[in-house]
Amino acid sequence: MRHAFHQQLDDLIVGIADMCGAAGQAMEAATQALLQADLLLAEQVITDHELIVQKARTTEEQALTVLALQAPVAGDLRAVVSALKNIADVDRMAALALHVAKLTRRRHPEKVLPEEVNGYFTEMGRIAVDMGSNVKQVVLSEDTHRAEQLADDDDDMDNLHRHLFTVLMDREWKHGVAAAVDVTLLGRYYERFADHAVEIGRRVIFSATGESA
Amino acid sequence: MRHAFHQQLDDLIVGIADMCGAAGQAMEAATQALLQADLLLAEQVITDHELIVQKARTTEEQALTVLALQAPVAGDLRAVVSALKNIADVDRMAALALHVAKLTRRRHPEKVLPEEVNGYFTEMGRIAVDMGSNVKQVVLSEDTHRAEQLADDDDDMDNLHRHLFTVLMDREWKHGVAAAVDVTLLGRYYERFADHAVEIGRRVIFSATGESA
């Protein structure tokens, strides 16, 4: 029975790790679409999002099945509930990549971003993609070192996000309010993406060690 | 055993309803603080937020206890998992009220909002508070009529949010980019608050009737 439980929990974890990978890839493609005003790529992210939603649903059903069949208690129960929360976070990460793609599509054939802030979003995108790949590894391996890396990446993301606001708020900003509104929303999408990745990392490490990352 | 389960589930539901009430009150106070640049009130929201976080933690522990002691299956299991998700949504609603209060504090003694958009936020605040109170009743009574009301309120919120953007994007906007950035973020906080309330309402109705609201 315990063996069956651990097998099912492992399957669940692999499912969540796959979702993390998919969310990271979605953000990678969405960022490229954003930077290049690439409509086809944006459409691809929007279409593929349905696959992640579907995966979230089946992974959640797996978690419910484990609860129903194994009736885990104590640490085992917490591990499954933690998995349920991770599914919600990664689902949200994918939704944020979707938002980036949708804004890209809405402004097409215009670029959403003024040239001046391209560098910020290139870098925020790079960090987000790294975090997607790191959080996948943390979920699979409970690697505390990588979980710390997630927190460091989140700090970098927050710094970029703050700098971005100083660029926006500067009197030298010449791109008007409409562009500033888009940049504000996009900045928030990347920042929230990172927050959810950190949240998953923290939960995995806490689950594994009983200590906060 | 079944009786004990239903008693515990009821307690859990009351806890979640209380949280919905508290999140609505937090948004009410945060909106008033925002509109009046009332620092004391903003501080109060920020301090009281800790109580909601604490309540979320204890309510989640209750849910885990129900799972561990009762090992519910089928519909009963779904009801508890649905409760866990509702806790996460209402926790996020409270965090969004906190964001409004924090932005108010950051800009004090200046008002965050240009006079011109006060009306939007008065109305978005009113809708958010109504939704907090409606979602509380939906959680307690599984009242499908009120759940539909939540969806209608969310439509109103989305319309206001869209109009707000047209005001921001208008060439007549005279308040500069910094104010536009704040207004963009605030608009998003109210819109997300409404989304989470709708999500809870939908989940409760689906749980109760097996049909989407």
Side-chain angles (χ1 to χ4, degrees):
Chain A
M1 194 72 165
R2 242 191 105 69
H3 177 72
F5 171 78
H6 282 285
Q7 185 56 55
Q8 288 170 9
L9 185 61
D10 283 349
D11 290 348
L12 191 55
I13 284 167
V14 169
I16 294 168
D18 285 349
M19 284 185 69
C20 291
Q25 279 165 15
M27 198 46 132
E28 184 162 28
T31 303
Q32 199 185 323
L34 172 73
L35 292 167
Q36 314 290 337
D38 184 335
L39 182 61
L40 282 181
L41 193 52
E43 295 280 10
Q44 191 65 52
V45 174
I46 295 164
T47 311
D48 289 351
H49 183 70
E50 197 39 52
L51 299 173
I52 305 185
V53 170
Q54 199 52 52
K55 178 82 183 170
R57 242 177 248 144
T58 55
T59 312
E60 195 179 304
E61 284 303 317
Q62 269 180 278
L64 284 166
T65 304
V66 177
L67 288 174
L69 294 185
Q70 308 290 345
V73 294
D76 289 346
L77 173 59
R78 278 176 202 276
V80 181
V81 169
S82 163
L84 276 169
K85 291 178 172 188
N86 289 342
I87 294 168
D89 275 301
V90 68
D91 189 47
R92 197 65 211 142
M93 287 165 73
L96 290 161
L98 176 71
H99 286 354
V100 173
K102 282 192 168 172
L103 191 53
T104 301
R105 180 171 72 178
R106 200 173 314 139
R107 299 288 175 256
H108 188 82
E110 300 293 318
K111 285 195 177 178
V112 186
L113 299 175
E115 194 73 29
E116 186 181 355
V117 295
N118 268 347
Y120 284 89
F121 284 91
T122 304
E123 190 58 12
M124 288 167 88
R126 192 195 58 74
I127 296 174
V129 173
D130 277 1
M131 291 180 83
S133 136
N134 269 327
V135 77
K136 176 179 173 169
Q137 291 308 321
V138 171
V139 166
L140 284 175
S141 64
E142 298 174 352
D143 178 337
T144 50
H145 177 71
R146 274 185 191 261
E148 282 162 22
Q149 183 61 45
L150 281 175
D152 290 346
D153 285 344
D154 188 45
D155 288 343
D156 291 345
M157 183 71 93
D158 286 344
N159 281 331
L160 276 165
H161 191 228
R162 253 192 305 274
H163 282 179
L164 181 65
F165 277 153
T166 64
V167 174
L168 282 175
M169 303 259 183
D170 195 296
R171 282 164 194 280
E172 301 293 303
W173 179 261
K174 289 177 174 57
H175 314 286
V177 169
V181 168
D182 283 348
V183 168
T184 302
L185 287 175
L186 284 168
R188 178 133 181 101
Y189 300 154
Y190 283 89
E191 187 233 342
R192 291 294 299 153
F193 184 96
D195 287 345
H196 287 288
V198 169
E199 202 52 50
I200 296 172
R202 225 178 252 148
R203 202 176 285 127
V204 169
I205 297 308
F206 186 75
S207 222
T209 66
E211 283 170 29
S212 304
Chain B
M1 194 71 166
R2 238 189 108 70
H3 177 73
F5 171 77
H6 282 285
Q7 184 56 54
Q8 288 170 8
L9 184 61
D10 283 349
D11 291 348
L12 192 55
I13 283 168
V14 169
I16 293 168
D18 284 349
M19 283 184 70
C20 291
Q25 279 164 16
M27 199 44 133
E28 183 161 29
T31 303
Q32 198 185 325
L34 172 73
L35 292 167
Q36 314 290 335
D38 184 334
L39 182 62
L40 281 180
L41 193 53
E43 294 281 9
Q44 191 65 52
V45 174
I46 295 163
T47 311
D48 288 352
H49 183 69
E50 197 39 53
L51 299 173
I52 305 184
V53 171
Q54 200 53 52
K55 177 81 182 171
R57 242 176 249 143
T58 55
T59 311
E60 195 178 304
E61 283 304 316
Q62 269 180 276
L64 284 167
T65 304
V66 177
L67 288 174
L69 294 184
Q70 308 290 345
V73 295
D76 289 347
L77 173 59
R78 278 177 201 275
V80 181
V81 169
S82 162
L84 275 169
K85 290 179 174 189
N86 289 341
I87 295 167
D89 275 301
V90 68
D91 189 46
R92 197 65 210 142
M93 286 165 73
L96 291 160
L98 176 72
H99 286 354
V100 173
K102 282 192 169 171
L103 190 53
T104 301
R105 179 170 73 178
R106 199 174 313 138
R107 298 288 175 255
H108 188 82
E110 300 292 319
K111 284 194 177 180
V112 186
L113 299 175
E115 195 73 28
E116 187 181 353
V117 296
N118 268 345
Y120 285 88
F121 284 91
T122 304
E123 191 57 13
M124 288 167 87
R126 191 193 59 72
I127 296 173
V129 173
D130 277 1
M131 291 181 84
S133 138
N134 269 328
V135 77
K136 176 178 173 170
Q137 291 308 321
V138 171
V139 167
L140 284 174
S141 64
E142 298 174 352
D143 178 337
T144 50
H145 177 71
R146 273 185 191 262
E148 283 163 21
Q149 183 59 47
L150 281 174
D152 290 345
D153 286 344
D154 188 45
D155 288 343
D156 292 345
M157 183 71 93
D158 285 345
N159 281 332
L160 277 164
H161 191 226
R162 253 192 305 273
H163 282 179
L164 181 64
F165 277 155
T166 65
V167 174
L168 282 175
M169 302 258 183
D170 196 297
R171 282 164 195 278
E172 301 293 302
W173 179 263
K174 290 177 176 57
H175 313 285
V177 169
V181 168
D182 283 348
V183 168
T184 301
L185 287 175
L186 284 168
R188 177 131 181 104
Y189 299 155
Y190 283 89
E191 187 232 341
R192 291 293 299 152
F193 184 96
D195 287 346
H196 287 288
V198 169
E199 203 51 52
I200 296 172
R202 223 178 253 149
R203 201 176 286 128
V204 170
I205 297 307
F206 185 75
S207 224
T209 66
E211 284 170 28
S212 304

